[in-house]
Amino acid sequence: MFLNKKELSDLTGVKTKKKQVEWLSENKYRFTLNVVGWPKVLVREVESKLLSPAHRKKSVKIKEPNFDGINGR
């Protein structure tokens, strides 16, 4: 099954097909284009990318704020 247009827009953060293709290419997602040029991405592709050990290593770790600055330390 493929991502629908909303899911693809949510994944890429953009709505135009040109920008979606650019984002998918830059982030090394495998996709194909349909007859009118919209990218088609398998749900399995997204799941495998987001669940891969390489992706987990890139995840941003949230750091606690430095409260020392607030207390004048």
PDB file of all heavy atoms in Angstrom, residues 27-30 44-56:
ATOM      1  N   ASN A  27      16.567  12.494   1.265  1.00  0.00           N
ATOM      2  CA  ASN A  27      16.498  11.648   2.452  1.00  0.00           C
ATOM      3  C   ASN A  27      16.552  10.158   2.116  1.00  0.00           C
ATOM      4  O   ASN A  27      16.285   9.320   2.986  1.00  0.00           O
ATOM      5  CB  ASN A  27      15.245  11.996   3.266  1.00  0.00           C
ATOM      6  CG  ASN A  27      15.401  13.336   3.933  1.00  0.00           C
ATOM      7  OD1 ASN A  27      16.019  13.438   4.979  1.00  0.00           O
ATOM      8  ND2 ASN A  27      14.900  14.388   3.295  1.00  0.00           N
ATOM      9  N   LYS A  28      16.892   9.861   0.868  1.00  0.00           N
ATOM     10  CA  LYS A  28      17.135   8.496   0.400  1.00  0.00           C
ATOM     11  C   LYS A  28      15.944   7.552   0.577  1.00  0.00           C
ATOM     12  O   LYS A  28      16.094   6.397   0.960  1.00  0.00           O
ATOM     13  CB  LYS A  28      18.375   7.936   1.078  1.00  0.00           C
ATOM     14  CG  LYS A  28      19.631   8.720   0.728  1.00  0.00           C
ATOM     15  CD  LYS A  28      20.836   8.153   1.435  1.00  0.00           C
ATOM     16  CE  LYS A  28      22.114   8.813   0.994  1.00  0.00           C
ATOM     17  NZ  LYS A  28      22.310  10.169   1.391  1.00  0.00           N
ATOM     18  N   TYR A  29      14.754   8.055   0.298  1.00  0.00           N
ATOM     19  CA  TYR A  29      13.565   7.208   0.272  1.00  0.00           C
ATOM     20  C   TYR A  29      13.391   6.666  -1.139  1.00  0.00           C
ATOM     21  O   TYR A  29      13.560   7.399  -2.118  1.00  0.00           O
ATOM     22  CB  TYR A  29      12.310   8.012   0.647  1.00  0.00           C
ATOM     23  CG  TYR A  29      12.108   8.151   2.134  1.00  0.00           C
ATOM     24  CD1 TYR A  29      12.816   9.103   2.851  1.00  0.00           C
ATOM     25  CD2 TYR A  29      11.222   7.336   2.817  1.00  0.00           C
ATOM     26  CE1 TYR A  29      12.637   9.236   4.230  1.00  0.00           C
ATOM     27  CE2 TYR A  29      11.032   7.466   4.186  1.00  0.00           C
ATOM     28  CZ  TYR A  29      11.751   8.417   4.877  1.00  0.00           C
ATOM     29  OH  TYR A  29      11.578   8.544   6.226  1.00  0.00           O
ATOM     30  N   ARG A  30      13.047   5.399  -1.239  1.00  0.00           N
ATOM     31  CA  ARG A  30      12.752   4.818  -2.551  1.00  0.00           C
ATOM     32  C   ARG A  30      11.311   5.173  -2.903  1.00  0.00           C
ATOM     33  O   ARG A  30      10.418   5.086  -2.060  1.00  0.00           O
ATOM     34  CB  ARG A  30      12.926   3.307  -2.520  1.00  0.00           C
ATOM     35  CG  ARG A  30      14.388   2.910  -2.329  1.00  0.00           C
ATOM     36  CD  ARG A  30      14.552   1.421  -2.323  1.00  0.00           C
ATOM     37  NE  ARG A  30      13.771   0.878  -1.205  1.00  0.00           N
ATOM     38  CZ  ARG A  30      13.580  -0.409  -0.999  1.00  0.00           C
ATOM     39  NH1 ARG A  30      14.081  -1.302  -1.812  1.00  0.00           N
ATOM     40  NH2 ARG A  30      12.871  -0.828   0.029  1.00  0.00           N
ATOM     41  N   ARG A  44       5.594   0.454   3.624  1.00  0.00           N
ATOM     42  CA  ARG A  44       6.691  -0.399   4.095  1.00  0.00           C
ATOM     43  C   ARG A  44       8.041   0.325   4.025  1.00  0.00           C
ATOM     44  O   ARG A  44       8.897   0.153   4.884  1.00  0.00           O
ATOM     45  CB  ARG A  44       6.718  -1.682   3.262  1.00  0.00           C
ATOM     46  CG  ARG A  44       7.767  -2.663   3.677  1.00  0.00           C
ATOM     47  CD  ARG A  44       7.667  -3.958   2.909  1.00  0.00           C
ATOM     48  NE  ARG A  44       7.592  -3.698   1.475  1.00  0.00           N
ATOM     49  CZ  ARG A  44       6.956  -4.476   0.610  1.00  0.00           C
ATOM     50  NH1 ARG A  44       6.332  -5.549   1.022  1.00  0.00           N
ATOM     51  NH2 ARG A  44       6.944  -4.194  -0.669  1.00  0.00           N
ATOM     52  N   GLU A  45       8.239   1.165   3.005  1.00  0.00           N
ATOM     53  CA  GLU A  45       9.479   1.940   2.873  1.00  0.00           C
ATOM     54  C   GLU A  45       9.638   2.907   4.045  1.00  0.00           C
ATOM     55  O   GLU A  45      10.711   3.026   4.633  1.00  0.00           O
ATOM     56  CB  GLU A  45       9.493   2.702   1.546  1.00  0.00           C
ATOM     57  CG  GLU A  45      10.632   3.675   1.378  1.00  0.00           C
ATOM     58  CD  GLU A  45      11.992   3.024   1.181  1.00  0.00           C
ATOM     59  OE1 GLU A  45      12.070   1.782   1.064  1.00  0.00           O
ATOM     60  OE2 GLU A  45      12.984   3.752   1.150  1.00  0.00           O
ATOM     61  N   VAL A  46       8.560   3.582   4.372  1.00  0.00           N
ATOM     62  CA  VAL A  46       8.595   4.545   5.481  1.00  0.00           C
ATOM     63  C   VAL A  46       8.843   3.813   6.800  1.00  0.00           C
ATOM     64  O   VAL A  46       9.688   4.224   7.593  1.00  0.00           O
ATOM     65  CB  VAL A  46       7.288   5.363   5.546  1.00  0.00           C
ATOM     66  CG1 VAL A  46       7.274   6.275   6.756  1.00  0.00           C
ATOM     67  CG2 VAL A  46       7.103   6.155   4.264  1.00  0.00           C
ATOM     68  N   GLU A  47       8.132   2.721   7.006  1.00  0.00           N
ATOM     69  CA  GLU A  47       8.311   1.962   8.240  1.00  0.00           C
ATOM     70  C   GLU A  47       9.745   1.460   8.376  1.00  0.00           C
ATOM     71  O   GLU A  47      10.340   1.559   9.450  1.00  0.00           O
ATOM     72  CB  GLU A  47       7.334   0.787   8.281  1.00  0.00           C
ATOM     73  CG  GLU A  47       5.898   1.218   8.452  1.00  0.00           C
ATOM     74  CD  GLU A  47       4.912   0.073   8.294  1.00  0.00           C
ATOM     75  OE1 GLU A  47       5.263  -0.988   7.742  1.00  0.00           O
ATOM     76  OE2 GLU A  47       3.765   0.256   8.738  1.00  0.00           O
ATOM     77  N   SER A  48      10.305   0.939   7.306  1.00  0.00           N
ATOM     78  CA  SER A  48      11.666   0.406   7.387  1.00  0.00           C
ATOM     79  C   SER A  48      12.684   1.515   7.645  1.00  0.00           C
ATOM     80  O   SER A  48      13.642   1.328   8.386  1.00  0.00           O
ATOM     81  CB  SER A  48      12.031  -0.379   6.127  1.00  0.00           C
ATOM     82  OG  SER A  48      12.171   0.473   5.015  1.00  0.00           O
ATOM     83  N   LYS A  49      12.473   2.689   7.046  1.00  0.00           N
ATOM     84  CA  LYS A  49      13.387   3.811   7.280  1.00  0.00           C
ATOM     85  C   LYS A  49      13.290   4.305   8.726  1.00  0.00           C
ATOM     86  O   LYS A  49      14.308   4.535   9.365  1.00  0.00           O
ATOM     87  CB  LYS A  49      13.077   4.982   6.342  1.00  0.00           C
ATOM     88  CG  LYS A  49      13.379   4.752   4.895  1.00  0.00           C
ATOM     89  CD  LYS A  49      14.829   4.951   4.578  1.00  0.00           C
ATOM     90  CE  LYS A  49      15.161   6.414   4.544  1.00  0.00           C
ATOM     91  NZ  LYS A  49      16.543   6.653   4.196  1.00  0.00           N
ATOM     92  N   LEU A  50      12.080   4.472   9.221  1.00  0.00           N
ATOM     93  CA  LEU A  50      11.898   5.037  10.550  1.00  0.00           C
ATOM     94  C   LEU A  50      12.240   4.049  11.667  1.00  0.00           C
ATOM     95  O   LEU A  50      12.554   4.458  12.775  1.00  0.00           O
ATOM     96  CB  LEU A  50      10.468   5.552  10.715  1.00  0.00           C
ATOM     97  CG  LEU A  50      10.098   6.721   9.804  1.00  0.00           C
ATOM     98  CD1 LEU A  50       8.662   7.148  10.037  1.00  0.00           C
ATOM     99  CD2 LEU A  50      11.038   7.898   9.989  1.00  0.00           C
ATOM    100  N   LEU A  51      12.199   2.760  11.374  1.00  0.00           N
ATOM    101  CA  LEU A  51      12.511   1.750  12.380  1.00  0.00           C
ATOM    102  C   LEU A  51      13.952   1.251  12.294  1.00  0.00           C
ATOM    103  O   LEU A  51      14.376   0.459  13.119  1.00  0.00           O
ATOM    104  CB  LEU A  51      11.550   0.560  12.238  1.00  0.00           C
ATOM    105  CG  LEU A  51      10.086   0.869  12.531  1.00  0.00           C
ATOM    106  CD1 LEU A  51       9.212  -0.336  12.207  1.00  0.00           C
ATOM    107  CD2 LEU A  51       9.894   1.290  13.971  1.00  0.00           C
ATOM    108  N   SER A  52      14.709   1.738  11.318  1.00  0.00           N
ATOM    109  CA  SER A  52      16.078   1.267  11.125  1.00  0.00           C
ATOM    110  C   SER A  52      16.989   1.769  12.246  1.00  0.00           C
ATOM    111  O   SER A  52      16.791   2.857  12.782  1.00  0.00           O
ATOM    112  CB  SER A  52      16.625   1.727   9.777  1.00  0.00           C
ATOM    113  OG  SER A  52      16.931   3.099   9.821  1.00  0.00           O
ATOM    114  N   PRO A  53      18.004   0.967  12.607  1.00  0.00           N
ATOM    115  CA  PRO A  53      18.966   1.419  13.621  1.00  0.00           C
ATOM    116  C   PRO A  53      19.658   2.725  13.230  1.00  0.00           C
ATOM    117  O   PRO A  53      19.926   3.563  14.080  1.00  0.00           O
ATOM    118  CB  PRO A  53      19.971   0.270  13.687  1.00  0.00           C
ATOM    119  CG  PRO A  53      19.236  -0.916  13.170  1.00  0.00           C
ATOM    120  CD  PRO A  53      18.263  -0.373  12.165  1.00  0.00           C
ATOM    121  N   ALA A  54      19.936   2.923  11.956  1.00  0.00           N
ATOM    122  CA  ALA A  54      20.593   4.154  11.504  1.00  0.00           C
ATOM    123  C   ALA A  54      19.725   5.372  11.807  1.00  0.00           C
ATOM    124  O   ALA A  54      20.223   6.414  12.211  1.00  0.00           O
ATOM    125  CB  ALA A  54      20.898   4.087  10.016  1.00  0.00           C
ATOM    126  N   HIS A  55      18.428   5.254  11.603  1.00  0.00           N
ATOM    127  CA  HIS A  55      17.518   6.377  11.873  1.00  0.00           C
ATOM    128  C   HIS A  55      17.444   6.658  13.374  1.00  0.00           C
ATOM    129  O   HIS A  55      17.425   7.805  13.793  1.00  0.00           O
ATOM    130  CB  HIS A  55      16.120   6.096  11.327  1.00  0.00           C
ATOM    131  CG  HIS A  55      15.147   7.202  11.600  1.00  0.00           C
ATOM    132  ND1 HIS A  55      15.159   8.379  10.900  1.00  0.00           N
ATOM    133  CD2 HIS A  55      14.171   7.329  12.519  1.00  0.00           C
ATOM    134  CE1 HIS A  55      14.222   9.181  11.368  1.00  0.00           C
ATOM    135  NE2 HIS A  55      13.604   8.561  12.353  1.00  0.00           N
ATOM    136  N   ARG A  56      17.418   5.611  14.177  1.00  0.00           N
ATOM    137  CA  ARG A  56      17.329   5.809  15.627  1.00  0.00           C
ATOM    138  C   ARG A  56      18.554   6.534  16.155  1.00  0.00           C
ATOM    139  O   ARG A  56      18.465   7.322  17.070  1.00  0.00           O
ATOM    140  CB  ARG A  56      17.145   4.476  16.333  1.00  0.00           C
ATOM    141  CG  ARG A  56      15.714   3.964  16.207  1.00  0.00           C
ATOM    142  CD  ARG A  56      15.547   2.758  17.044  1.00  0.00           C
ATOM    143  NE  ARG A  56      16.285   1.663  16.421  1.00  0.00           N
ATOM    144  CZ  ARG A  56      15.797   0.461  16.213  1.00  0.00           C
ATOM    145  NH1 ARG A  56      14.595   0.172  16.585  1.00  0.00           N
ATOM    146  NH2 ARG A  56      16.523  -0.469  15.637  1.00  0.00           N
TER     147      ARG A  56
END
